[in-house]
């Protein structure tokens, strides 16, 4: 069952009243299933944030249909089930983290008596418990991102919408956010996040949507989008005598590596097994084996270049 | 209904808290206190007009600085928040858009009325020290200044709902200045229309659109120890409140219909 459905979304903007309208979103369509992590991927300026603003009712698109948690984004009751973390930490610098979370707990529908407890719990969940009474103006970028995540989660939403949640975070911060997102999925919360950091998508997402120049190009499971087919197998072997290298050159492409190791690129798994057998019989150790499949980066670049070629022609 | 009330209250409380911690408020209050001090110094060489001078300057400072703080706080807390996108997480919550407008309005009005009350109380204290307790018109002037503040905040909120912070500030200041000249515009309009000049009728129409802020001032009466009739006070206050409410309703309606936040 889809918790979020976007159909044929279009949005045009006009920079000044005397300038013509230009399209930001041309045709965006995708659906997010309940309980999954959905990655919304696209280059800068593709329309990710505009799409998110449409989902949250911050923007009324020119055309198209959006259904969130069974209702329209313009209905305030629907937004009670949605938590949102903006791309930049858009919070008042004069408030403390606790005040911010209290504010959002109340806005999310919590009663006064329970709001304080929910605020504290959300701050602990993102690791900001010790900084609860610090002013947001004094927070680092990473701390502000955590505060943003906390206010998105404080209302225990069914759907969490995160706009570039890893933006500006150090590796430890990104790890923590990834773990949080995985924990949300374990608890049955649906996570929809936009990003252009592809390794995070490959680590986290059940399904992915790729948007380029305001149009969704691909939507589906990662393994389906990437084809699943094996493009090659790399075998890394220890130092080999020249005679053995000559034999292996008949089975695979041989490239030397640092420390005297060699990398053997085979066309398929069967050929890779033959190479490994030859190495074993010769008493040469295998340092590593990696199956090469089409990467998300390759797909992403192909889709973006296709758009660039289309623009030039 | 609950979401609307809670949303309005939460936004208003946050606006009040931010305004108190914001330096604009302190700077405005400091300027007013300095001006009051200067009036006291001037009064010492005014030969028997101390009370009149202090009341006049004190009430004028409350009105001018009240309007200035009202405009700057309204713009910063509404148009400024929209520009900086700090309003996004709040507007993404289950509250109607007009609750955000109402909350901002209430938060700024409460803040500025407190500031104005402090300035007026300081003036009253100094007048009492120099002469005697201020006349009843002084307190009528406080009421009318509070009404003027809510009107200015409503107008600034309306412009903030429509346009950028810079333009909203320019329009708000322009309307307040024009409002202070509204009575003169009406007199000029009457003279022209009595002579059959078409411009007179246009200016008469303009007068009805502008907020007549001269009706929300009892400084002259307070400074000269004249009485302000109760029905005049009620009528003028009702006028100011009505204009403010109309501007606020228009702001809510327009903001609700904005395609892009």
């Amino acid at each position: 069952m889809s918790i979020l459905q976007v159909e044929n979304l279009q949005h045009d903007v006009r920079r000044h009243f005397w300038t013509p309208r230009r399209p930001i979103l041309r045709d965006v369509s995708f659906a997010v299933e309940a309980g999954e992590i959905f990655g919304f991927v696209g280059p800068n300026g593709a329309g990710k944030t505009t799409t998110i603003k449409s989902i949250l009712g911050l923007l009324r698109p020119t055309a198209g249909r959006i259904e969130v948690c069974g209702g329209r984004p313009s209905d305030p009751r629907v937004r009670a089930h949605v938590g949102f973390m903006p791309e930049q930490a858009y919070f008042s610098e004069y408030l403390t983290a606790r005040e911010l979370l209290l504010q959002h707990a109340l806005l999310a529908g919590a009663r006064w008596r329970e709001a304080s407890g929910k605020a504290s719990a959300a701050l602990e969940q993102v690791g900001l418990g010790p900084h609860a009474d610090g002013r947001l103006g004094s927070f680092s970028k990473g701390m502000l991102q955590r505060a943003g995540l906390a206010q998105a989660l404080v209302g225990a939403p069914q759907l969490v919408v995160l706009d570039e949640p890893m933006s500006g975070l150090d590796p430890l911060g990104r790890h923590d956010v990834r773990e949080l997102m995985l924990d949300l999925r374990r608890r049955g919360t649906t996570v929809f996040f936009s990003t252009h950091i592809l390794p995070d998508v490959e680590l986290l997402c059940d399904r992915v949507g790729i948007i380029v120049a305001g149009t969704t190009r691909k939507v589906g499971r990662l393994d389906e989008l990437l084809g699943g087919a094996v493009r090659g197998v790399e075998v890394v072997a220890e130092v080999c005598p020249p005679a053995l290298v000559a034999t292996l050159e008949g089975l695979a492409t041989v490239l030397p590596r640092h420390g005297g190791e060699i990398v053997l690129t085979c066309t398929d798994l069967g050929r890779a097994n033959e190479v490994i057998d030859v190495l074993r019989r010769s008493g040469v150790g295998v340092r590593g084996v990696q199956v090469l499949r089409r990467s998300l980066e390759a797909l992403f670049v192909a889709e973006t270049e296709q758009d660039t070629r289309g623009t030039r022609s | 209904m609950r979401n609307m009330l809670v949303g309005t209250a939460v936004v208003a409380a946050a606006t009040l808290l931010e305004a108190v911690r914001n330096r604009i408020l302190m700077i405005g209050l400091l300027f007013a206190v300095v001006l009051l001090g200067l009036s006291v110094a001037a009064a010492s060489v005014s030969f028997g007009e101390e009370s009149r001078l202090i009341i006049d300057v004190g009430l004028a400072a409350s009105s001018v600085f009240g309007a200035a703080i009202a405009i700057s706080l309204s713009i910063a807390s509404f148009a400024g928040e929209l520009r900086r996108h700090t309003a996004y997480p709040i507007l993404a919550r289950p509250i109607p858009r007009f609750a955000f407008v109402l909350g901002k309005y209430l938060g700024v009005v409460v803040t500025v009325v407190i500031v104005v009350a402090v300035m007026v109380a300081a003036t009253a204290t100094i007048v009492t020290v120099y002469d005697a307790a201020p006349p009843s018109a002084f307190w009528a002037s406080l009421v009318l200044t509070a009404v003027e503040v809510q009107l200015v905040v409503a107008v600034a909120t309306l412009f903030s709902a429509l346009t950028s912070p810079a333009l909203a500030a320019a329009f708000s200041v322009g309307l307040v200045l024009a409002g202070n000249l509204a009575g003169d515009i009406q007199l000029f309009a009457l003279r022209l229309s009595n002579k059959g000049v078409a411009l007179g009728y246009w200016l008469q129409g303009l007068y009805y659109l502008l907020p007549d802020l001269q009706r929300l001032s009892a400084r002259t009466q307070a400074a000269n120890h004249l009485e302000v009739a109760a029905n005049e006070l009620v009528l003028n206050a009702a006028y100011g409140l009505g204009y403010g409410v109309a501007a606020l309703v228009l702001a809510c309606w327009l903001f609700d219909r904005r395609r892009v936040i």
Side-chain angles (χ1 to χ4, degrees), chain A residues 289-313:
Chain A
V289 179
Q290 185 177 1
V291 177
L292 303 175
R293 302 180 197 274
R294 191 185 190 193
S295 69
L296 182 60
E297 181 178 319
L299 175 64
F300 182 87
V301 169
E303 291 297 331
T304 311
E305 282 181 349
Q306 184 184 355
D307 175 70
T308 307
R309 278 197 298 272
T311 309
R312 283 183 191 156
S313 62

mmCIF file of all heavy atoms in Angstrom, chain A residues 289-313:
data_model
loop_
_atom_site.group_PDB
_atom_site.id
_atom_site.type_symbol
_atom_site.label_atom_id
_atom_site.label_comp_id
_atom_site.label_asym_id
_atom_site.label_seq_id
_atom_site.Cartn_x
_atom_site.Cartn_y
_atom_site.Cartn_z
ATOM 1 N N VAL A 289 38.149 -11.241 -4.088
ATOM 2 C CA VAL A 289 37.287 -11.452 -5.252
ATOM 3 C C VAL A 289 36.128 -10.453 -5.172
ATOM 4 O O VAL A 289 35.492 -10.336 -4.122
ATOM 5 C CB VAL A 289 36.710 -12.889 -5.287
ATOM 6 C CG1 VAL A 289 35.804 -13.060 -6.504
ATOM 7 C CG2 VAL A 289 37.828 -13.920 -5.297
ATOM 8 N N GLN A 290 35.883 -9.717 -6.260
ATOM 9 C CA GLN A 290 34.771 -8.751 -6.270
ATOM 10 C C GLN A 290 33.943 -8.912 -7.533
ATOM 11 O O GLN A 290 34.494 -8.884 -8.634
ATOM 12 C CB GLN A 290 35.299 -7.317 -6.193
ATOM 13 C CG GLN A 290 34.181 -6.286 -6.074
ATOM 14 C CD GLN A 290 34.682 -4.870 -5.931
ATOM 15 O OE1 GLN A 290 35.888 -4.630 -5.940
ATOM 16 N NE2 GLN A 290 33.771 -3.934 -5.809
ATOM 17 N N VAL A 291 32.643 -9.083 -7.330
ATOM 18 C CA VAL A 291 31.731 -9.201 -8.479
ATOM 19 C C VAL A 291 31.357 -7.784 -8.925
ATOM 20 O O VAL A 291 30.945 -6.957 -8.112
ATOM 21 C CB VAL A 291 30.456 -9.983 -8.091
ATOM 22 C CG1 VAL A 291 29.485 -10.042 -9.264
ATOM 23 C CG2 VAL A 291 30.818 -11.376 -7.613
ATOM 24 N N LEU A 292 31.509 -7.503 -10.192
ATOM 25 C CA LEU A 292 31.218 -6.171 -10.737
ATOM 26 C C LEU A 292 29.810 -6.148 -11.326
ATOM 27 O O LEU A 292 29.511 -6.905 -12.233
ATOM 28 C CB LEU A 292 32.240 -5.798 -11.814
ATOM 29 C CG LEU A 292 33.717 -5.822 -11.386
ATOM 30 C CD1 LEU A 292 34.626 -5.558 -12.577
ATOM 31 C CD2 LEU A 292 33.973 -4.793 -10.299
ATOM 32 N N ARG A 293 28.973 -5.292 -10.747
ATOM 33 C CA ARG A 293 27.643 -5.087 -11.327
ATOM 34 C C ARG A 293 27.540 -3.616 -11.704
ATOM 35 O O ARG A 293 28.341 -2.795 -11.284
ATOM 36 C CB ARG A 293 26.543 -5.414 -10.312
ATOM 37 C CG ARG A 293 26.608 -6.833 -9.787
ATOM 38 C CD ARG A 293 25.490 -7.102 -8.786
ATOM 39 N NE ARG A 293 25.787 -8.292 -8.014
ATOM 40 C CZ ARG A 293 25.485 -9.528 -8.404
ATOM 41 N NH1 ARG A 293 24.881 -9.725 -9.556
ATOM 42 N NH2 ARG A 293 25.799 -10.564 -7.647
ATOM 43 N N ARG A 294 26.508 -3.279 -12.431
ATOM 44 C CA ARG A 294 26.318 -1.874 -12.801
ATOM 45 C C ARG A 294 26.054 -1.069 -11.534
ATOM 46 O O ARG A 294 25.236 -1.460 -10.706
ATOM 47 C CB ARG A 294 25.125 -1.748 -13.748
ATOM 48 C CG ARG A 294 25.037 -0.360 -14.375
ATOM 49 C CD ARG A 294 23.784 -0.231 -15.196
ATOM 50 N NE ARG A 294 23.802 0.997 -15.988
ATOM 51 C CZ ARG A 294 22.737 1.491 -16.599
ATOM 52 N NH1 ARG A 294 21.589 0.850 -16.531
ATOM 53 N NH2 ARG A 294 22.823 2.600 -17.284
ATOM 54 N N SER A 295 26.773 0.035 -11.368
ATOM 55 C CA SER A 295 26.610 0.827 -10.148
ATOM 56 C C SER A 295 25.516 1.881 -10.318
ATOM 57 O O SER A 295 25.154 2.250 -11.444
ATOM 58 C CB SER A 295 27.924 1.523 -9.793
ATOM 59 O OG SER A 295 28.190 2.534 -10.749
ATOM 60 N N LEU A 296 25.030 2.335 -9.190
ATOM 61 C CA LEU A 296 24.025 3.403 -9.221
ATOM 62 C C LEU A 296 24.630 4.669 -9.811
ATOM 63 O O LEU A 296 23.947 5.419 -10.510
ATOM 64 C CB LEU A 296 23.511 3.662 -7.801
ATOM 65 C CG LEU A 296 22.413 4.716 -7.646
ATOM 66 C CD1 LEU A 296 21.175 4.352 -8.448
ATOM 67 C CD2 LEU A 296 22.043 4.875 -6.173
ATOM 68 N N GLU A 297 25.912 4.862 -9.547
ATOM 69 C CA GLU A 297 26.572 6.046 -10.093
ATOM 70 C C GLU A 297 26.562 5.994 -11.615
ATOM 71 O O GLU A 297 26.303 7.006 -12.271
ATOM 72 C CB GLU A 297 28.011 6.109 -9.577
ATOM 73 C CG GLU A 297 28.767 7.329 -10.092
ATOM 74 C CD GLU A 297 30.174 7.398 -9.538
ATOM 75 O OE1 GLU A 297 30.365 7.122 -8.339
ATOM 76 O OE2 GLU A 297 31.077 7.717 -10.308
ATOM 77 N N ALA A 298 26.835 4.818 -12.172
ATOM 78 C CA ALA A 298 26.837 4.684 -13.627
ATOM 79 C C ALA A 298 25.453 4.969 -14.193
ATOM 80 O O ALA A 298 25.313 5.648 -15.222
ATOM 81 C CB ALA A 298 27.306 3.285 -14.025
ATOM 82 N N LEU A 299 24.427 4.452 -13.532
ATOM 83 C CA LEU A 299 23.054 4.701 -13.982
ATOM 84 C C LEU A 299 22.729 6.186 -13.903
ATOM 85 O O LEU A 299 22.150 6.768 -14.819
ATOM 86 C CB LEU A 299 22.078 3.890 -13.124
ATOM 87 C CG LEU A 299 20.587 4.113 -13.367
ATOM 88 C CD1 LEU A 299 20.192 3.692 -14.766
ATOM 89 C CD2 LEU A 299 19.760 3.362 -12.326
ATOM 90 N N PHE A 300 23.112 6.792 -12.773
ATOM 91 C CA PHE A 300 22.843 8.207 -12.536
ATOM 92 C C PHE A 300 23.522 9.067 -13.594
ATOM 93 O O PHE A 300 22.910 9.968 -14.172
ATOM 94 C CB PHE A 300 23.354 8.558 -11.136
ATOM 95 C CG PHE A 300 23.104 9.970 -10.708
ATOM 96 C CD1 PHE A 300 21.923 10.323 -10.097
ATOM 97 C CD2 PHE A 300 24.061 10.944 -10.888
ATOM 98 C CE1 PHE A 300 21.678 11.624 -9.686
ATOM 99 C CE2 PHE A 300 23.837 12.251 -10.481
ATOM 100 C CZ PHE A 300 22.646 12.583 -9.877
ATOM 101 N N VAL A 301 24.791 8.776 -13.854
ATOM 102 C CA VAL A 301 25.544 9.553 -14.859
ATOM 103 C C VAL A 301 24.932 9.373 -16.236
ATOM 104 O O VAL A 301 24.783 10.337 -16.998
ATOM 105 C CB VAL A 301 27.035 9.136 -14.850
ATOM 106 C CG1 VAL A 301 27.764 9.716 -16.053
ATOM 107 C CG2 VAL A 301 27.700 9.583 -13.568
ATOM 108 N N ALA A 302 24.529 8.138 -16.548
ATOM 109 C CA ALA A 302 23.922 7.867 -17.856
ATOM 110 C C ALA A 302 22.638 8.677 -18.027
ATOM 111 O O ALA A 302 22.398 9.267 -19.079
ATOM 112 C CB ALA A 302 23.635 6.377 -17.998
ATOM 113 N N GLU A 303 21.820 8.727 -16.989
ATOM 114 C CA GLU A 303 20.555 9.471 -17.073
ATOM 115 C C GLU A 303 20.812 10.967 -17.194
ATOM 116 O O GLU A 303 20.141 11.668 -17.945
ATOM 117 C CB GLU A 303 19.689 9.194 -15.841
ATOM 118 C CG GLU A 303 19.133 7.785 -15.777
ATOM 119 C CD GLU A 303 18.204 7.465 -16.927
ATOM 120 O OE1 GLU A 303 17.544 8.389 -17.460
ATOM 121 O OE2 GLU A 303 18.139 6.284 -17.305
ATOM 122 N N THR A 304 21.804 11.460 -16.462
ATOM 123 C CA THR A 304 22.114 12.894 -16.493
ATOM 124 C C THR A 304 22.712 13.290 -17.835
ATOM 125 O O THR A 304 22.363 14.332 -18.392
ATOM 126 C CB THR A 304 23.090 13.260 -15.365
ATOM 127 O OG1 THR A 304 22.607 12.703 -14.141
ATOM 128 C CG2 THR A 304 23.226 14.749 -15.206
ATOM 129 N N GLU A 305 23.594 12.421 -18.359
ATOM 130 C CA GLU A 305 24.208 12.725 -19.650
ATOM 131 C C GLU A 305 23.178 12.668 -20.765
ATOM 132 O O GLU A 305 23.250 13.441 -21.709
ATOM 133 C CB GLU A 305 25.342 11.732 -19.934
ATOM 134 C CG GLU A 305 26.612 12.071 -19.168
ATOM 135 C CD GLU A 305 27.737 11.112 -19.467
ATOM 136 O OE1 GLU A 305 27.480 10.078 -20.097
ATOM 137 O OE2 GLU A 305 28.871 11.411 -19.060
ATOM 138 N N GLN A 306 22.227 11.791 -20.617
ATOM 139 C CA GLN A 306 21.168 11.691 -21.624
ATOM 140 C C GLN A 306 20.391 12.990 -21.695
ATOM 141 O O GLN A 306 20.050 13.489 -22.759
ATOM 142 C CB GLN A 306 20.229 10.537 -21.252
ATOM 143 C CG GLN A 306 19.149 10.276 -22.287
ATOM 144 C CD GLN A 306 18.175 9.193 -21.830
ATOM 145 O OE1 GLN A 306 18.357 8.582 -20.785
ATOM 146 N NE2 GLN A 306 17.143 8.967 -22.594
ATOM 147 N N ASP A 307 20.173 13.571 -20.505
ATOM 148 C CA ASP A 307 19.456 14.842 -20.467
ATOM 149 C C ASP A 307 20.301 15.948 -21.077
ATOM 150 O O ASP A 307 19.803 16.788 -21.816
ATOM 151 C CB ASP A 307 19.106 15.207 -19.021
ATOM 152 C CG ASP A 307 18.460 16.574 -18.937
ATOM 153 O OD1 ASP A 307 17.313 16.704 -19.383
ATOM 154 O OD2 ASP A 307 19.116 17.507 -18.453
ATOM 155 N N THR A 308 21.613 15.925 -20.793
ATOM 156 C CA THR A 308 22.517 16.947 -21.335
ATOM 157 C C THR A 308 22.564 16.867 -22.845
ATOM 158 O O THR A 308 22.506 17.876 -23.538
ATOM 159 C CB THR A 308 23.937 16.774 -20.762
ATOM 160 O OG1 THR A 308 23.852 16.730 -19.339
ATOM 161 C CG2 THR A 308 24.837 17.903 -21.197
ATOM 162 N N ARG A 309 22.631 15.629 -23.373
ATOM 163 C CA ARG A 309 22.667 15.440 -24.828
ATOM 164 C C ARG A 309 21.363 15.927 -25.433
ATOM 165 O O ARG A 309 21.349 16.573 -26.467
ATOM 166 C CB ARG A 309 22.880 13.957 -25.184
ATOM 167 C CG ARG A 309 24.334 13.526 -25.119
ATOM 168 C CD ARG A 309 24.514 12.207 -25.866
ATOM 169 N NE ARG A 309 23.734 11.130 -25.256
ATOM 170 C CZ ARG A 309 24.182 10.359 -24.275
ATOM 171 N NH1 ARG A 309 25.389 10.539 -23.769
ATOM 172 N NH2 ARG A 309 23.442 9.402 -23.774
ATOM 173 N N GLY A 310 20.270 15.652 -24.762
ATOM 174 C CA GLY A 310 18.966 16.081 -25.241
ATOM 175 C C GLY A 310 18.864 17.590 -25.263
ATOM 176 O O GLY A 310 18.313 18.170 -26.188
ATOM 177 N N THR A 311 19.440 18.258 -24.277
ATOM 178 C CA THR A 311 19.411 19.715 -24.193
ATOM 179 C C THR A 311 20.229 20.330 -25.313
ATOM 180 O O THR A 311 19.818 21.303 -25.949
ATOM 181 C CB THR A 311 19.972 20.192 -22.839
ATOM 182 O OG1 THR A 311 19.311 19.486 -21.803
ATOM 183 C CG2 THR A 311 19.779 21.677 -22.676
ATOM 184 N N ARG A 312 21.430 19.706 -25.576
ATOM 185 C CA ARG A 312 22.322 20.256 -26.615
ATOM 186 C C ARG A 312 21.720 20.086 -27.995
ATOM 187 O O ARG A 312 21.821 20.969 -28.831
ATOM 188 C CB ARG A 312 23.667 19.540 -26.560
ATOM 189 C CG ARG A 312 24.534 19.998 -25.423
ATOM 190 C CD ARG A 312 25.877 19.312 -25.463
ATOM 191 N NE ARG A 312 26.591 19.575 -24.228
ATOM 192 C CZ ARG A 312 27.545 18.802 -23.758
ATOM 193 N NH1 ARG A 312 27.879 17.696 -24.389
ATOM 194 N NH2 ARG A 312 28.166 19.110 -22.652
ATOM 195 N N SER A 313 21.074 18.950 -28.233
ATOM 196 C CA SER A 313 20.503 18.720 -29.568
ATOM 197 C C SER A 313 19.205 19.515 -29.678
ATOM 198 O O SER A 313 18.843 19.920 -30.732
ATOM 199 C CB SER A 313 20.233 17.244 -29.783
ATOM 200 O OG SER A 313 19.292 16.785 -28.836
#
